[in-house]
Amino acid sequence: MRVYVDFKSPAAYLALKPTMQFAQRLGLALQWQAFNSTQPTDNEAVAEDKSAAEDKGAVHRRVRAKARRQTHLRYADVQGVNMSFRAKTGSTDLALMVLDRLAVADRQQFVVAAFEAYWCTSLDLNAPQQVASLLQKCGFAPELVAQVRLSGNASMEALNSAVQQADGVVDVPAYIVRGEIFIGREHLPWIESIYPGSKA
Amino acid sequence: MSIEPLKSASPLIVYVDVKSPYAFVAIEPTLALERELGLQFDWRPLTLDIPSYLGSARKKAGKVVESNRSPSQWLGIRYAYKDARRYAQRQGHILKGTEKIWDSSAINIALLWVTLRQRDRLPAFFAHVFPTFWRRELDIEDTGVVEDCLDKADVSKVGFREFLFGEGRALHDELTANLHGAGIYGVPTYVFDQQILFGREHIPYIRWHLGGRQGHAPDIAYEIS
């Protein structure tokens, strides 16, 4: 099962633990993939000040962002995980490109560390030194950061474009199961029903 | 009379809009929860103003003939329909994409009529309106068609037309105007103890909460049978 994530996505972060538990329970191997979620982020919209010039659409987006953020925090509490929203969403492009270059078998360790770094310690996942130290902490070669940087920002765009074309990913977490796409951990019951021998 | 967005005598308020595919697939699980808990939820209309936040479009014979949506909005909308469709199919329904953005206020005022006059007929009203609309067999902007929906659900329509253009419209419009201020923006929305949750994925949490908060709170899930 392929799972697309972006470290700055609160929904992807909250999907991490349930997804790993799900895979372990069903004996599935997860293939973590990078996707730069360009959906309007909850953080920035929340930070927008309510102004007199706000039109109906802007009010809708602000109210939605605030409600989503509260909902994420509710379920972080349910899951017993730390979750600190930043005033402004940080770019995670560099860490996502690093994830894309790692061997599939090594990815889960990096994914766990990167999510924790973003949501619990406010690490800058677009800063070369910080991403390199994260790699090192996971036991991987920090030189990978330099290799990724040589390829430039265009690679992230190219990766996103390829992912959208191949799998139809529009947001994260996205699960690709036998050619079908599911966005959000709320689909895990359906995904479980797809696998023969599962309890569902 | 007026309706406070977050206040109700019922332990749970449920906001729905007939033209929302996500509301459609939430109806049966939410009605099932109502039966399971032996409660009567406070169902209310929320007529979405889709073009204000998601752009607008019109189709003819399956092709888009008018649109001011961005490519990313289209990708998101296509996925949303595909997603709602598979769950609708699982419930035994057909969900066809709409050809335009409907004004669902009249049918939503009819929902209000049913809840105020013959609450016990609400499941029958939903059972007729939602599946028929999503098979593209219901013109919900036609007052006569809306009245026919009341007939089909065995709900009296005596006085409905006056309600639709008078008290019901005023209630509906006042409620709609106050929803954003209360923190409500979409459907299905569930409100309990002044807390707001958007989406049927919260049904497990709502069951846990209304059932007395026994054990550990569950995570979100689209429950399947």
Side-chain angles (χ1 to χ4, degrees):
Chain A
M1 180 163 79
R2 286 199 297 287
V3 187
Y4 286 93
V5 290
D6 183 347
F7 305 121
K8 65 180 175 287
S9 159
Y13 173 54
L14 290 177
L16 180 66
K17 202 170 147 183
T19 303
M20 290 196 304
Q21 287 170 345
F22 173 83
Q24 194 175 24
R25 190 161 50 81
L26 295 189
L28 299 173
L30 297 174
Q31 190 179 328
W32 297 97
Q33 304 276 8
F35 182 76
N36 182 11
S37 170
T38 52
Q39 298 285 327
T41 62
D42 298 352
N43 303 14
E44 282 165 302
V46 168
E48 279 174 22
D49 286 333
K50 187 179 170 183
S51 70
E54 211 177 29
D55 64 14
K56 215 170 176 179
V59 174
H60 178 96
R61 285 186 287 276
R62 177 172 52 76
V63 171
R64 181 178 61 188
K66 194 172 175 182
R68 280 184 180 174
R69 186 170 166 165
Q70 286 167 348
T71 301
H72 291 314
L73 290 170
R74 176 191 299 273
Y75 285 99
D77 191 44
V78 165
Q79 291 186 18
V81 297
N82 292 325
M83 184 177 213
S84 298
F85 278 87
R86 301 175 183 199
K88 189 165 170 32
T89 305
S91 169
T92 52
D93 283 10
L94 183 58
L96 289 172
M97 286 304 298
V98 164
L99 172 64
D100 186 58
R101 301 287 179 88
L102 282 170
V104 171
D106 293 339
R107 289 182 186 179
Q108 183 151 306
Q109 196 183 348
F110 183 74
V111 164
V112 171
F115 270 120
E116 193 187 321
Y118 186 91
W119 289 98
C120 304
T121 65
S122 295
L123 202 77
D124 182 350
L125 294 184
N126 207 35
Q129 215 170 355
Q130 299 194 36
V131 177
S133 87
L134 193 65
L135 275 170
Q136 215 159 12
K137 192 179 144 195
C138 295
F140 304 131
E143 291 76 23
L144 187 55
V145 169
Q147 290 169 26
V148 165
R149 289 185 76 203
L150 281 174
S151 58
N153 286 340
S155 297
M156 191 69 241
E157 287 167 28
L159 178 66
N160 254 28
S161 174
V163 164
Q164 277 185 338
Q165 282 198 346
D167 284 331
V169 176
V170 291
D171 203 356
V172 291
Y175 303 84
I176 310 297
V177 187
R178 298 190 177 160
E180 200 169 353
I181 178 170
F182 297 87
I183 298 175
R185 70 187 190 280
E186 58 269 35
H187 295 287
L188 289 176
W190 182 303
I191 295 170
E192 183 164 354
S193 75
I194 291 174
Y195 288 100
S198 69
K199 290 175 193 168
Chain B
M1 184 189 173
S2 67
I3 303 172
E4 296 269 351
L6 303 180
K7 287 188 183 162
S8 174
S10 168
L12 186 74
I13 304 169
V14 186
Y15 284 94
V16 292
D17 183 352
V18 172
K19 69 173 175 289
S20 160
Y22 277 119
F24 177 28
V25 291
I27 294 293
E28 289 187 5
T30 308
L31 285 171
L33 180 69
E34 196 174 33
R35 287 192 301 272
E36 180 188 332
L37 297 174
L39 297 170
Q40 198 168 72
F41 298 158
D42 184 352
W43 294 80
R44 297 177 180 179
L46 189 174
T47 301
L48 297 166
D49 181 0
I50 294 172
S52 74
Y53 61 92
L54 206 53
S56 63
R58 194 168 61 84
K59 281 176 160 184
K60 205 170 180 182
K63 290 189 174 173
V64 177
V65 291
E66 269 177 41
S67 169
N68 65 358
R69 285 175 171 160
S70 67
S72 68
Q73 281 177 326
W74 271 118
L75 281 171
I77 289 163
R78 287 198 182 106
Y79 171 77
Y81 269 97
K82 188 178 155 188
D83 182 39
R85 187 172 294 121
R86 63 185 159 201
Y87 282 94
Q89 281 171 348
R90 197 154 191 147
Q91 292 173 10
H93 299 302
I94 292 166
L95 191 157
K96 292 182 179 175
T98 54
E99 302 236 292
K100 66 170 187 174
I101 296 173
W102 291 83
D103 174 0
S104 53
S105 61
I107 195 77
N108 285 339
I109 292 169
L111 187 166
L112 205 51
W113 171 264
V114 179
T115 61
L116 293 172
R117 307 296 158 101
Q118 283 176 264
R119 173 61 180 79
D120 61 316
R121 301 307 304 157
L122 195 60
F125 178 77
F126 284 150
H128 173 66
V129 171
F130 274 95
T132 317
F133 174 71
W134 286 100
R135 287 197 306 266
R136 292 193 195 147
E137 293 170 5
L138 208 60
D139 180 354
I140 55 171
E141 291 174 355
D142 183 322
T143 304
V145 171
V146 173
E147 285 179 319
D148 189 48
C149 290
L150 295 173
D151 273 341
K152 292 266 177 16
D154 204 15
V155 175
S156 169
K157 62 184 183 196
V158 177
F160 173 69
R161 220 168 251 256
E162 291 73 27
F163 182 80
L164 175 61
F165 295 109
E167 186 196 359
R169 171 62 65 180
L171 273 175
H172 168 275
D173 291 355
E174 188 194 9
L175 179 62
T176 305
N178 291 332
L179 290 172
H180 274 156
I184 296 168
Y185 64 93
V187 291
T189 282
Y190 302 89
V191 181
F192 55 89
D193 298 340
Q194 307 273 311
Q195 298 177 65
I196 301 162
L197 288 172
F198 166 76
R200 74 186 190 285
E201 65 270 30
H202 303 294
I203 286 178
Y205 188 94
I206 294 164
R207 178 188 294 110
W208 172 81
H209 177 81
L210 296 179
R213 301 173 76 96
Q214 301 292 311
H216 198 269
D219 197 12
I220 59 171
Y222 287 155
E223 297 174 316
I224 56 171
S225 51

